[in-house]
């Protein structure tokens, strides 16, 4: 299977999943449809745009309108079916996790396709997966989730090492992508379920014990 096709499919799926997450957060702030669309676009293309600029290539969403259409479909999905989706426990968290995993993989694959070393590809995967969420949170005036003690960007990095292991073991890219996707999702789910986190920094003059 052509790797460019795989990257495109992953980016479209990631766009839809992340757009759903971003629009849901906008709905919680009672934004109108346009505001929701902007938040959906920001989280869906933000990380990939930063990646492509750093790779000195045309941002992926500028090559075809399909990503804008995906976000529009996500907006309509939330607008018309959100009330039925809301009762589904952790539904929105799942969409955000799927987007995180899919865009991490897309970032790694595209960086490798541009001849970058694996360690750079892992960083690019992390940026692609998590930067859009930072932009969304800034727009919504929320503390970026990447700065919380909750495992988020670390899941991208660990997933990158899993992808690297697949390369070393000559595993076909399709299987490597699938395994990396489930690994990132599993790390995120387990971290939230069992409250696994990194240590919190404390300043010397802090009153926190």
């Amino acid at each position: 299977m052509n790797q460019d096709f795989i990257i495109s499919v992953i980016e479209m799926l990631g766009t839809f999943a992340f757009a759903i997450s971003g629009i849901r957060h906008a709905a919680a702030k009672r934004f109108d449809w346009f505001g929701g669309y902007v938040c959906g676009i920001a989280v869906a293309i933000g990380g990939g745009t930063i990646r492509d600029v750093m790779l000195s290539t045309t941002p992926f969403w500028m090559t075809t309108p399909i990503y804008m259409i995906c976000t529009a479909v996500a907006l309509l999905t939330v607008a018309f079916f959100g009330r039925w989706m809301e009762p589904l426990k952790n539904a929105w968290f799942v969409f955000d996790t799927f987007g995180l995993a899919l865009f991490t993989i897309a970032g790694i694959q595209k960086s490798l396709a541009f001849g970058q070393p694996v360690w750079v590809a892992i960083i690019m995967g992390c940026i692609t997966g998590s930067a859009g969420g930072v932009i969304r949170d800034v727009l919504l005036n929320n503390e970026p989730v990447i700065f919380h003690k909750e495992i988020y960007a670390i899941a991208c990095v660990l997933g990158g090492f899993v992808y690297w292991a697949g390369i070393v073991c000559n595993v076909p890219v399709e299987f490597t992508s699938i395994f990396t996707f489930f690994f990132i999702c599993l790390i995120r789910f387990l971290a939230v379920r069992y409250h696994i986190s990194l240590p919190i920094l404390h300043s010397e003059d802090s009153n926190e014990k």
Side-chain angles (χ1 to χ4, degrees):
M1 191 179 295
N2 185 279
Q3 183 157 333
D4 289 338
F5 175 76
I6 295 174
I7 293 173
S8 295
V9 170
I10 289 174
E11 284 182 333
M12 281 190 287
L13 292 173
T15 297
F16 183 77
F18 255 174
I20 286 280
S21 172
I23 294 166
R24 176 260 170 177
H25 280 83
K29 291 277 188 175
R30 302 189 64 81
F31 281 24
D32 62 17
W33 281 37
F34 180 75
Y37 187 81
V38 170
C39 286
I41 283 289
V43 69
I45 71 173
T49 300
I50 295 174
R51 173 204 63 207
D52 289 344
V53 169
M54 294 177 73
L55 291 175
S56 299
T57 187
T58 302
F60 70 102
W61 58 270
M62 296 177 66
T63 61
T64 171
I66 189 63
Y67 302 104
M68 299 297 171
I69 296 172
C70 280
T71 304
V73 172
L75 175 65
L76 294 175
T77 300
V78 174
F80 291 108
F81 302 106
R83 67 180 64 182
W84 289 281
M85 298 171 67
E86 192 65 37
L88 299 178
K89 189 176 181 180
N90 298 325
W92 303 119
F93 167 73
V94 170
F95 276 114
D96 188 68
T97 299
F98 285 175
L100 181 72
L102 289 166
F103 268 126
T104 298
I105 296 167
I108 293 171
Q109 290 182 337
K110 191 163 189 177
S111 299
L112 292 174
F114 272 73
Q116 297 297 327
V118 175
W119 67 271
V120 172
I122 292 174
I123 295 173
M124 289 294 190
C126 183
I127 290 173
T128 308
S130 60
V134 174
I135 297 173
R136 174 202 65 206
D137 291 337
V138 169
L139 288 175
L140 295 173
N141 198 30
N142 293 331
E143 181 182 5
V145 68
I146 195 175
F147 299 140
H148 295 178
K149 62 177 183 177
E150 177 183 301
I151 295 295
Y152 192 78
I154 294 298
C156 302
V157 175
L158 295 177
F161 281 106
V162 169
Y163 196 97
W164 183 15
I167 295 174
V168 172
C169 297
N170 294 314
V171 178
V173 64
E174 297 91 341
F175 295 110
T176 299
S177 298
I178 291 171
F179 188 78
T180 303
F181 171 80
F182 283 110
F183 179 83
I184 293 174
C185 290
L186 180 63
I187 290 294
R188 185 101 165 91
F189 292 152
L190 290 177
V192 172
R193 172 66 179 81
Y194 295 104
H195 307 289
I196 301 171
S197 63
L198 298 177
I200 299 175
L201 287 172
H202 298 283
S203 63
E204 293 182 0
D205 58 349
S206 174
N207 293 323
E208 296 179 7
K209 300 295 184 180

